[in-house]
Structure formats: C-alpha cells, structure tokens
Amino acid sequence: MAIFTVFLKTFLGRGAVNQVDLNADAINVGMFNSPNFPDLYDNKLDCVWVITAPPGHTVEVTFTTFTTEILLDYVQVKDGGLDTSPLIEDLTGQQTVPLKLSSTGTQMRVEFHSDVSVTFEGFKANYIALSIPGLI
C-alpha cells in the first residue's frame, strides 16, 4: 500500500495559515479543491498544496472542474514540493476538463492565487500516486 500526503497551507492575506494533512494510497483517489468549492472562493487567497508520494512513485493530479477569473486568479502546478520547483502548468480562466498533470518525481506543488476582486467556483481535483515501472 503506497501512502502519500497532501499538505495544504492557506494564506488569507492577514497572516493566518491553515494546514491540512491528507493520506491516501495508490488504489484510492484523494481529492482537494479551492476554498468554498463549489461556491465562490474568496478574494485575496494564496493556497498551497504539496502532494508527496512514496519512493518509487510519481504524483498524478486530475482537474475535474476549473473556472477562475482569467489572468488575475490562477493555479500554478509545479514539479516538486518547493516554490522554486519547475513549472508544469499555469492555469487560469476556464479549462477543458478532465486535465491530467503528472510529476517526474515524488512531489507536486499546487498553488492557487486570487486577487482582490471577482471570484468564481474555482476548481476540484483528484490525486493519486502512480508507481514508476521497474522500480516497484
């Protein structure tokens, strides 16, 4: 059973930070979403999810719903757990779903930013750990 963890940090523009730890295995699909989904997300949000798979696995995230204010509210998906990790995809506006994105290693970072005006329903995404062929 492959266990991996999702860490969520939400910065509300007032110094408050919330962190949620979720565990799942390679058989069961986990889920995360923008705050308040399916209702409108709030203004002035900066949220970070770091998904960590066990050794010998990668992370696959599938966005099943995605609508944000175009250009000003966005999601960045990164190949690794750090702010400086390489960008996999920069998402904004309405995206065609399902949209699958994969890491090359054991971590993926998903960052969500909303500005000071106009909000939408945001996004919902599933995640799973995938074994790397030949390693497990």
Side-chain angles (χ1 to χ4, degrees):
M1 173 162 60
I3 302 291
F4 65 112
T5 305
V6 175
F7 297 99
L8 164 64
K9 291 185 179 180
T10 302
F11 303 93
L12 302 175
R14 295 176 293 280
V17 177
N18 295 324
Q19 180 169 315
V20 178
D21 299 339
L22 304 171
N23 291 313
D25 60 50
I27 297 169
N28 298 308
V29 175
M31 190 275 303
F32 67 99
N33 50 260
S34 53
N36 301 329
F37 181 88
D39 295 325
L40 303 180
Y41 54 78
D42 293 328
N43 290 314
K44 299 193 283 185
L45 289 178
D46 284 296
C47 305
V48 177
W49 293 264
V50 176
I51 306 166
T52 304
H57 290 74
T58 60
V59 177
E60 180 181 84
V61 167
T62 303
F63 289 90
T64 57
T65 301
F66 195 102
T67 306
T68 66
E69 180 186 16
I70 193 162
L71 299 176
L72 300 175
D73 298 347
Y74 56 85
V75 170
Q76 290 187 325
V77 181
K78 297 183 177 181
D79 193 9
L82 303 175
D83 181 49
T84 57
S85 295
L87 185 66
I88 295 173
E89 195 75 40
D90 201 355
L91 305 169
T92 189
Q94 187 160 358
Q95 298 293 315
T96 301
V97 293
L99 174 63
K100 288 187 180 198
L101 302 171
S102 298
S103 67
T104 59
T106 60
Q107 289 192 316
M108 179 182 283
R109 181 181 178 102
V110 179
E111 301 175 358
F112 171 60
H113 170 80
S114 66
D115 72 346
V116 298
S117 66
V118 185
T119 61
F120 287 85
E121 74 176 1
F123 66 88
K124 179 178 177 183
N126 299 321
Y127 60 88
I128 194 163
L130 300 176
S131 62
I132 300 171
L135 292 182
I136 299 294

